[in-house]
Amino acid sequence: MIAPVSPALPPAPLAPAVEAVAANPFVSLAYLVAGVCFILALRGLSSPTTSQRGNRFGMIGMAIAVVTTLVTHVPLRADALPPGNPHDLMIDWTAALEILAAIGLGAAIGIVTARRIAMTAMPQLVAAFHSLVGLAAVAVACAAFLNPVAFDIADMVVPMIGQPFASIHVVSRVEMVLGVAIGAITFSGSVIAFLKLNGNMGGKPILLPGRHALNAGLLGAIVILVAMFTRDQSPWIFWTITILSFVIGFLLIIPIGGADMPVVVSMLNSYSGWAAAAMGFTLHNSAMIITGALVGSSGAILSYIMCRAMNRSFISVIAGGFGASDAGSSGGGAAVDRPWKRGSAEDAAFLMSQAEQVVIVPGYGMAVAQAQHVLREMGDLLKKEGVRVKYAIHPVAGRMPGHMNVLLAEANVPYDEVFELEDINAEFAQTDVAFVIGANDVTNPAAKTDKSSPIYGMPVLDVEKAKTVLFIKRSMGGVGYAGVDNELFYRDNTMMLLADAKKMVEEIVKALG
Amino acid sequence: MDFIAILSIFVLACFVGYYVVWSVTPALHTPLMAVTNAISSVIIVGALIAAAASSGATGSGVAKWLGLAAVVLASINIFGGFAVTQRMLAMYRKKEKRS
């Protein structure tokens, strides 16, 4: 029924700019340079001393990519397109101003948000930003579907009957729907992650009956629709894929609990990269492909690191339900009757001021209580007394990778006093006081000994090896995220400091001063 | 560029990403997420193309507005992402020399 366009028909009027791009090798070169800048941006993060230079490389790369696109895709007036005479084209100033206004609007919102956001809210912010990448990818993919000629991914086809239409290349169809699907999953997943991290939605996993079957069914439907879309570019298939993807992103994240969020945020980070890469394939743009691959692998590696730090498989995290109420009720009740020691702020101040080395173990509780600044004050006072103060960070402490490091940096703790699990674990045996603030499961010795424990095998900080453990906790009743009681509380060398983390540290500071 | 050429760039970039990201110090994992977020907004390139496409073809009107919306979203990410990364990185300090 349809015949390919004959050479006599001028396809040019619709896309003169695109042809100019294809002809100019400097444009591809510019995108490549942008991609290399992005690699250097990540490379800079290997050390805090080079990181700021790296970030500047990122900005330069982005500027190159944006300016190149702006220059090569100047909006032209439709009524002033003389076929075959691209030099007389007239710039559509209204459209050009609209684009610049859109960039300015985004810049204003972005910069104000970045300046105002509290460091403790960083996980939410990152989740929100991921959702924007996802939504932008969806919008771009939809635009590419609606106006494929502008993206140079379609041939004009003149059927025997009816209007000529743009037939999208089969490869581009697959790339496009992958972009829209991954983008939509990133968007709705990130929105849920944001709501959970921001406290608008409870941190407890929400378990729908038959959710695995439902997800598998939806995924299967998407795969079938993608296959159909390669044969038939009907709008209904495209839109159905988009909607199903939004739904699946939502369903994927709601069963995952609050403390598994480091994995989720990393995973969504990865997805946002793959979405960008898929669109890069659609647009044949090397900057987008390189970036997508970088971001995709970055998120994947971070997810892997987080899973390893919890000794859980990626699949088990994604399946969700960890820390749901059924795990929490067992075991906790009997254990509360066991004897434990309670200490006061004065006791803690005395013990630490007499110590040679104090290792501080912060966790999510420190972020919630906003105790990082007063904690640093405590560290300074101890240092004045001649005590060596170090910080020990478990990879999954907090709600996103590196969360604790940023908070300590915000409080002016020098980064060379902050150590990762594997670098400091051997030192606890020579430590006088381990000061646990807002962490719980990551210090539980049961992970090393109790095979029945849900956290068995998880690498933990060996705080119990220190001469004394000071453990700040709001009350003895609650359990950690994993829903297991912490062996540490009942040890002879543990002293429980029952109070709000910030108040307790403030009192210790008073007692020290 | 043909598909295989693009695929080659992609595959090689995945390897580069693998090695570069493993060399990132864990202390900077949060800035890493913020900056990857900013650079993945290079998707703005597609948004700009859609927004700048000349009207006339069917669906190009809606496509243009989708493009403009995507330009706003991606710009928020680009400027916000780089700014917040800069803010975080500026906080990382070494121990001051004993006076």
Side-chain angles (χ1 to χ4, degrees):
Chain A
M1 284 298 283
I2 49 176
V5 68
S6 70
L9 270 167
L14 283 171
V18 174
E19 295 205 338
V21 175
N24 192 342
F26 289 105
V27 174
S28 304
L29 197 62
Y31 285 129
L32 185 63
V33 171
V36 172
C37 284
F38 294 147
I39 295 173
L40 292 173
L42 298 199
R43 180 69 205 155
L45 291 174
S46 57
S47 142
T49 46
T50 55
S51 59
Q52 297 201 38
R53 195 178 58 203
N55 198 37
R56 278 193 288 278
F57 268 117
M59 294 183 201
I60 293 168
M62 189 59 74
I64 293 173
V66 169
V67 170
T68 307
T69 316
L70 283 174
V71 171
T72 52
H73 290 83
V74 179
L76 303 168
R77 277 170 55 182
D79 55 347
L81 291 176
N85 189 5
H87 296 292
D88 292 340
L89 297 173
M90 292 177 64
I91 294 173
D92 183 348
W93 287 107
T94 325
L97 282 176
E98 279 169 359
I99 291 170
L100 294 177
I103 295 176
L105 177 64
I109 299 173
I111 289 173
V112 169
T113 313
R115 289 238 173 105
R116 291 206 181 148
I117 194 84
M119 281 300 145
T120 40
M122 201 51 68
Q124 293 93 299
L125 181 76
V126 168
F129 277 167
H130 286 159
S131 76
L132 297 184
V133 179
L135 197 57
V138 171
V140 172
C142 291
F145 174 69
L146 291 169
N147 191 4
V149 179
F151 288 83
D152 197 22
I153 51 170
D155 292 319
M156 285 310 288
V157 172
V158 184
M160 304 276 192
I161 313 156
Q163 294 288 313
F165 69 97
S167 167
I168 304 167
H169 302 154
V170 173
V171 178
S172 302
R173 289 185 199 180
V174 177
E175 294 158 354
M176 179 189 285
V177 287
L178 278 180
V180 83
I182 303 170
I185 292 172
T186 310
F187 172 73
S188 53
S190 298
V191 168
I192 301 298
F194 171 83
L195 293 175
K196 288 197 173 195
L197 289 165
N198 205 32
N200 307 89
M201 204 170 150
K204 283 275 175 204
I206 299 164
L207 303 175
L208 297 177
R211 63 206 156 87
H212 295 311
L214 184 63
N215 287 343
L218 280 173
L219 201 64
I222 290 176
V223 171
I224 292 167
L225 286 167
V226 171
M228 281 169 70
F229 191 66
T230 59
R231 307 284 304 269
D232 171 13
Q233 59 173 44
S234 301
W236 75 266
I237 302 178
F238 184 83
W239 301 118
T240 311
I241 293 172
T242 311
I243 291 163
L244 289 184
S245 304
F246 277 123
V247 173
I248 212 169
F250 174 78
L251 292 175
L252 269 179
I253 309 302
I254 54 166
I256 305 179
D260 277 344
M261 280 302 144
V263 181
V264 170
V265 175
S266 317
M267 183 185 82
L268 292 166
N269 183 235
S270 180
Y271 287 179
S272 70
W274 303 131
M279 293 320 297
F281 273 99
T282 312
L283 300 179
H284 296 193
N285 184 298
S286 55
M288 283 168 87
I289 292 170
I290 293 173
T291 312
L294 287 178
V295 178
S297 21
S298 164
I301 290 170
L302 289 177
S303 316
Y304 169 76
I305 293 174
M306 295 299 117
C307 288
R308 191 182 56 179
M310 295 192 289
N311 190 39
R312 304 200 17 227
S313 72
F314 186 67
I315 301 292
S316 90
V317 173
I318 296 310
F322 193 72
S325 49
D326 52 327
S329 54
S330 64
V336 177
D337 301 333
R338 293 165 62 183
W340 50 277
K341 270 188 285 188
R342 179 171 188 162
S344 67
E346 287 74 27
D347 300 335
F350 177 75
L351 276 167
M352 286 195 282
S353 61
Q354 299 302 309
E356 212 165 288
Q357 172 158 299
V358 171
V359 176
I360 298 171
V361 180
Y364 183 57
M366 180 192 81
V368 174
Q370 302 262 16
Q372 65 271 30
H373 298 283
V374 63
L375 188 67
R376 195 257 312 149
E377 232 177 282
M378 186 188 91
D380 286 350
L381 287 172
L382 288 173
K383 276 192 261 177
K384 260 191 214 149
E385 305 259 346
V387 182
R388 217 169 32 249
V389 178
K390 291 179 177 179
Y391 295 80
I393 312 258
H394 192 278
V396 290
R399 286 291 186 267
M400 74 184 291
H403 193 182
M404 292 298 122
N405 303 78
V406 171
L407 294 182
L408 292 176
E410 187 201 11
N412 278 325
V413 173
Y415 62 79
D416 38 9
E417 287 177 8
V418 182
F419 296 88
E420 299 301 315
L421 171 95
E422 57 266 32
D423 298 327
I424 198 154
N425 234 0
E427 278 194 40
F428 279 107
Q430 290 93 48
T431 298
D432 302 290
V433 178
F435 187 82
V436 184
I437 171 167
N440 191 349
D441 292 335
V442 298
T443 62
N444 194 342
K448 289 177 283 192
T449 52
D450 181 5
K451 284 195 177 152
S452 64
S453 172
I455 58 168
Y456 178 73
M458 167 172 153
V460 288
L461 288 157
D462 300 333
V463 289
E464 79 280 1
K465 290 191 180 151
K467 280 204 196 84
T468 308
V469 178
L470 297 173
F471 201 109
I472 301 187
K473 202 168 180 294
R474 226 179 276 262
S475 71
M476 282 306 280
V479 287
Y481 169 69
V484 288
D485 202 31
N486 196 337
E487 274 299 302
L488 194 61
F489 304 160
Y490 314 105
R491 294 212 163 213
D492 290 338
N493 61 340
T494 304
M495 189 185 272
M496 300 301 293
L497 306 171
L498 298 188
D500 171 75
K502 192 175 178 184
K503 281 214 190 86
M504 177 51 78
V505 180
E506 277 168 355
E507 278 172 36
I508 294 173
V509 165
K510 239 183 261 163
L512 280 170
Chain B
M1 276 190 280
D2 64 340
F3 181 73
I4 295 300
I6 299 170
L7 190 65
S8 314
I9 295 176
F10 177 72
V11 171
L12 293 175
C14 282
F15 279 96
V16 171
Y18 180 85
Y19 288 107
V20 168
V21 173
W22 271 115
S23 75
V24 171
T25 167
L28 293 176
H29 275 165
T30 297
L32 171 70
M33 301 200 80
V35 82
T36 49
N37 186 73
I39 64 172
S40 61
S41 302
V42 72
I43 200 151
I44 196 172
V45 167
L48 290 171
I49 294 174
S54 51
S55 44
T58 38
S60 63
V62 181
K64 187 185 135 180
W65 287 107
L66 281 171
L68 279 175
V71 169
V72 176
L73 296 175
S75 302
I76 295 175
N77 253 322
I78 292 171
F79 287 91
F82 282 124
V84 87
T85 309
Q86 192 63 37
R87 200 180 131 199
M88 278 192 274
L89 293 177
M91 298 187 315
Y92 283 81
R93 281 191 200 92
K94 248 196 146 116
K95 209 181 302 189
E96 283 159 39
K97 291 270 174 341
R98 291 257 168 93
S99 52

